[in-house]
Amino acid sequence: GAQENWSVAGPDGNKQVRIKGNIRTNSAELVREALLSGLGIGLRGTWEVGPDIKSGALKIVLPQYVGSPRSAVHAVYPSRDFMPAKVNAFLDFLGEHFGLDPYWDQGFDLNTAKARTGKSAAKGGTKTPAKRADRAA
């Protein structure tokens, strides 16, 4: 659903920022189109808007802040018991492809936020190694 608060990490640590606006949506694509149309600011991950930033269509306005370090992407599966080899292979592929240096962050200077927060900025949050869970979440 639409967020009323943004969780960000910055020079003063983790913060919850209450936001207001005229557009409420749970569509990432609509938010991207609104940003490209100049309708305001948004908290988006580099995986979503990286090409738009690289082309100059969008600009980073608060480089000292990154998305919450609690943000993550998870692969969800029913159980590790009797898991097919192809599922294991796919999970290994995801871990290698989206690990410590994901392709969408290449070409960005993400050290500004790291220098100020002590954390690496990636995926709109912190850069953490891709890990395989021992059990389904």
Side-chain angles (χ1 to χ4, degrees):
Q3 294 178 324
E4 293 185 5
N5 293 299
W6 285 347
S7 297
V8 297
D12 299 323
N14 295 333
K15 300 279 185 198
Q16 292 286 323
V17 180
R18 185 160 174 79
I19 57 170
K20 284 185 168 184
N22 293 330
I23 298 174
R24 293 180 60 92
T25 182
N26 63 356
S27 169
E29 187 60 27
L30 183 103
V31 172
R32 181 180 166 273
E33 290 299 323
L35 293 172
L36 289 169
S37 297
L39 296 178
I41 65 172
L43 179 64
R44 308 309 314 155
T46 52
W47 64 272
E48 288 180 280
V49 295
D52 300 313
I53 294 169
K54 287 178 183 179
S55 75
L58 293 177
K59 299 201 181 313
I60 297 173
V61 295
L62 297 170
Q64 67 273 30
Y65 291 93
V66 296
S68 171
R70 292 177 279 157
S71 299
V73 176
H74 301 273
V76 180
Y77 47 91
S79 171
R80 290 197 55 87
D81 297 333
F82 311 110
M83 186 162 17
K86 64 183 175 182
V87 175
N88 267 324
F90 184 63
L91 293 174
D92 289 341
F93 166 78
L94 290 175
E96 291 170 15
H97 191 63
F98 299 117
L100 285 175
D101 191 21
Y103 67 87
W104 57 80
D105 283 342
Q106 294 173 8
F108 282 101
D109 179 14
L110 299 172
N111 293 320
T112 303
K114 182 179 180 182
R116 294 192 174 123
T117 65
K119 299 175 181 147
S120 297
K123 296 185 244 183
T126 59
K127 192 178 285 189
T128 57
K131 294 182 182 175
R132 296 271 309 271
D134 288 335
R135 297 185 313 196

